[in-house]
Amino acid sequence: MTSSAEALERRIDELRAAVRKAVTAGERERAKVLRGELRKAERQWEEALDELAEQPVAVRRQTGPLLPLREQVHQALNLLGAPAAPKLIIAVHEAFHVGEMIPARLTSLRRDEERSFRSAPHSRPYYLCAALTADLLAPARGLLAVSTWPMATRVIGPLSPRVDFLTSAIRLAEHLDRIPDPGPQARRLLWRFAANIPGAAASADAMTAAAVAEAAEAELEIHRDTDRSHREAAAKRAREQLDDVEQLFGSRLRSISATGS
């Protein structure tokens, strides 16, 4: 099942890139077809993860060698659906997968990805890149993202940390809700989110994934439109003013004007 999930992740990355190219080229019908294939692949990926999670830990330990670090990080980020710090990425990995993720290795991972992109641009289906600050379009300190995400998802504005927190809480809750027995680590991780969302849960023992998702969605509705507007404006500037490397890893050599001039 692990190999099936890996193959689906590669397929999802390829489809996301193809959708982006079709939209950019104005090929609406092709983009529509590709989006349908993407949604189907994402559903299959979720089902593959659920089946893997249902296996006893002893069985999962015998499924073969662990994924490379970058693929483990990619899995965690795609589950969260938003830029995240290494500490959260490690917590997600430990909650749902077997094997240790070493913090020190995550520190250098983004630099390794940038070197790889500079030496052979676009040669990989995806890159682990930086989230970008909305004001300077510089790397957001300590936040990793996925290159195949829309630019607006990778930009961090004033409300984005809270929006991304709520988004990740919803996705995590929905993921747990599909698992018959998610385990104590997964529930502890969800409680870390629930404890900081009004109305999500009175206590860890009384917490339900559905209630956490509902409370997070209620607050998200308050912030979503304002945050989206800010992020989309910054994303537009990034696409107009940054080269390919800077769009993934941020601008360091110059200030980026808010007006695009």
Side-chain angles (χ1 to χ4, degrees):
M1 185 55 63
T2 301
S3 60
S4 174
E6 292 173 31
L8 285 166
E9 285 163 10
R10 289 191 291 269
R11 176 62 174 158
I12 287 168
D13 289 329
E14 292 168 357
L15 285 168
R16 283 175 174 161
V19 169
R20 184 175 66 251
K21 290 178 181 177
V23 170
T24 302
E27 300 173 351
R28 294 185 179 181
E29 288 302 318
R30 175 169 171 74
K32 182 178 179 181
V33 171
L34 289 169
R35 281 194 175 106
E37 294 180 13
L38 175 59
R39 286 192 293 271
K40 180 180 178 181
E42 288 173 336
R43 286 195 300 271
Q44 292 173 336
W45 179 77
E46 291 285 355
E47 291 169 1
L49 280 189
D50 291 346
E51 289 181 25
L52 181 60
E54 290 172 13
Q55 295 177 357
V57 171
V59 174
R60 281 183 266 162
R61 290 188 184 277
Q62 300 171 7
T63 58
L66 293 174
L67 296 174
L69 176 65
R70 70 187 302 268
E71 294 192 32
Q72 293 174 348
V73 173
H74 184 239
Q75 279 186 340
L77 285 170
N78 274 330
L79 193 156
L80 293 168
K87 186 175 181 180
L88 178 55
I89 292 170
I90 292 171
V92 171
H93 173 77
E94 291 177 346
F96 297 105
H97 302 286
V98 176
E100 183 181 11
M101 188 179 283
I102 303 171
R105 292 183 61 196
L106 267 70
T107 303
S108 61
L109 180 60
R110 195 200 57 72
R111 293 195 297 271
D112 295 340
E113 292 287 286
E114 182 173 353
R115 283 194 291 269
S116 174
F117 185 87
R118 287 181 180 276
S119 63
H122 304 292
S123 61
R124 292 177 171 179
Y126 69 87
Y127 291 84
L128 301 174
C129 59
L132 307 183
T133 60
D135 52 357
L136 299 178
L137 301 180
R141 185 174 179 82
L143 292 180
L144 288 172
V146 181
S147 63
T148 52
W149 291 350
M151 177 65 75
T153 302
R154 296 192 283 110
V155 171
I156 304 297
L159 290 172
S160 300
R162 186 59 181 174
V163 166
D164 288 348
F165 178 88
L166 296 168
T167 298
S168 295
I170 293 168
R171 291 176 65 99
L172 179 62
E174 290 175 343
H175 187 64
L176 261 69
D177 207 28
R178 290 190 292 267
I179 302 174
D181 182 15
Q185 279 188 298
R187 286 190 58 82
R188 281 196 297 269
L189 176 59
L190 184 61
W191 171 243
R192 285 171 51 185
F193 283 87
N196 291 284
I197 301 172
S203 68
D205 292 337
M207 177 185 68
T208 67
V212 174
E214 183 177 356
E217 180 64 35
E219 184 183 343
L220 186 58
E221 282 296 319
I222 300 171
H223 307 303
R224 181 185 280 122
D225 290 346
T226 302
D227 179 63
R228 181 187 295 122
S229 176
H230 199 108
R231 290 175 109 152
E232 288 178 351
K236 183 175 183 292
R237 288 191 290 113
R239 288 189 293 268
E240 292 173 347
Q241 299 178 29
L242 303 183
D243 61 27
D244 285 357
V245 174
E246 291 171 332
Q247 286 188 36
L248 294 185
F249 301 100
S251 171
R252 296 182 182 85
L253 301 180
R254 63 182 186 276
S255 295
I256 303 297
S257 67
T259 61
S261 59

